[in-house]
Amino acid sequence: MRFLFQLLIISFCFISCGPPQFEKNIRIIVKGIVVDENDNPIPNLNVSIYTERGSVFGANKEFLLGSGLSNSQGVFNVNSFFDQNRGFQVEVNGDELFSNYFYQLDTHKYVPEDLTFNLNSVKLNRLSTVNFNIDKTSMEDNNLGFSFRFKDTNCVEVFNEDEIDITQSKCLEFTYLNALLNKDSPEIVSKFETLLGSTVEFTYRLNDEEEITNTFIVDKINYEFNFSY
Amino acid sequence: MSLTFHIKNSCLIFTLLFFTSVFSQSENESNQEIKHDLKKLGFGSIEYVQPITTGDNFFGLGMKGKSGFNVKAQFFLYEHFFIQGNWGVSYFSVKDKSVVGNYDKTTLSYQYISLGYEFLSSSKIRMGLSLSVFGESRFKNHSFTNTREAFQFDDGNVRSYEVYFDYMINSEFAIYVNYGYRNDKMKIQVPSEIQSLFNNASFHNISIGVKLYFGQSNVFPDILN
């Protein structure tokens, strides 16, 4: 009995610990056209199809099923393996010049007709890097709390069958970067990426004074922001 | 014109020659006695295979042949007609992922039964043709993401057309070369716009191997008497 139990455990381990197997005898096509905010085609962008996307207990479990590049007209047409998985995702990577687009679908529940995933027109926005420098000029021991509110560079669209699920999708939403400066760390030089032409809110509070918000438009590929307190 | 077209034409010519040789030989044979030591029950063989992918299909455009091994058992049923069992494995690497998908290599294992005719048999040389009648192939595709392995299977039905040339070292032992054209019918479901690309997997097999003949009569020596 004990031997049988051990055999069962070992068999289970062999079955469950082996490399994953994608759907047999199936290929899919992922197609579409990638354009910028002015509807101009973007060539040479990487389009990748993943399964098991997302982390489990911090471990990266994703597998690449297929990949290809957009051509000079921005058109992509990628032949790929297929996997029925909740973490099935197509990524159009903006290559640090443009925003990123993610198409997510639970392929356990739905497989498109004719095994073709047509993303149609994927619009990506040009990116800007905001380099910020906050330094201390006063001699007093001041505390400065600050935050930047700016547009995220990722657009994740979650689909239920062929309808977009607005509640789960997060497309170029606002995100925050905040920190507290004090006598131990009075200065900071850092950067973040956001959409070119978007508005950034800079909010700060000096000691217990009232919160102040300033806004600026990111109108350059490399935008410099300096602040002293 | 594609290479496949020429190969299909060659196969047709071979088939015509084959049947011509069957009838002419059977006539000749009725006039002369076949030497007793040329008659064999069959042979077992093992061969090294060099696969060469070809054709306007996912295999020809996206894969490259590396190596393979084949084991065969052949039985002469009646006179020069034979049945052959084949088991083998071949290895391929991916040369264009945009055609086939994200994988790096394929291990192809197969087994099939062929029927054929040996149109030349002398004390030093034997030559024969065969066509597969039933067989299955399994393509195990290996992919790697950040060094982590995953795999996927494609299945197919074997279609094989072969010709062999034996050089007899003695009455039992031979070294041989074999040419085979494989055009496996695939069972892959794909979007209609790329269906034609994934219908078949075609490649040439050029092999060299050793054979051990056994027995001194056919399986059914008196079937027509």
Side-chain angles (χ1 to χ4, degrees), chain B residues 191-208:
Chain B
S192 49
E193 67 182 90
I194 54 169
Q195 182 70 58
S196 60
L197 192 64
F198 285 88
N199 275 343
N200 301 300
S202 53
F203 53 99
H204 305 287
N205 267 344
I206 296 168
S207 326
I208 184 163

Side-chain angles (χ1 to χ4, degrees), chain B residues 201-221:
Chain B
S202 53
F203 53 99
H204 305 287
N205 267 344
I206 296 168
S207 326
I208 184 163
V210 290
K211 282 181 182 177
L212 186 64
Y213 280 90
F214 51 83
Q216 290 189 325
S217 72
N218 299 151
V219 177
F220 306 111

Side-chain angles (χ1 to χ4, degrees), chain B residues 43-45 74 164 166 172-176 209-213:
Chain B
F43 65 74
S45 71
Q74 179 168 313
Y164 66 80
D166 293 2
E172 274 86 34
F173 190 68
I175 55 171
Y176 72 100
V210 290
K211 282 181 182 177
L212 186 64
Y213 280 90

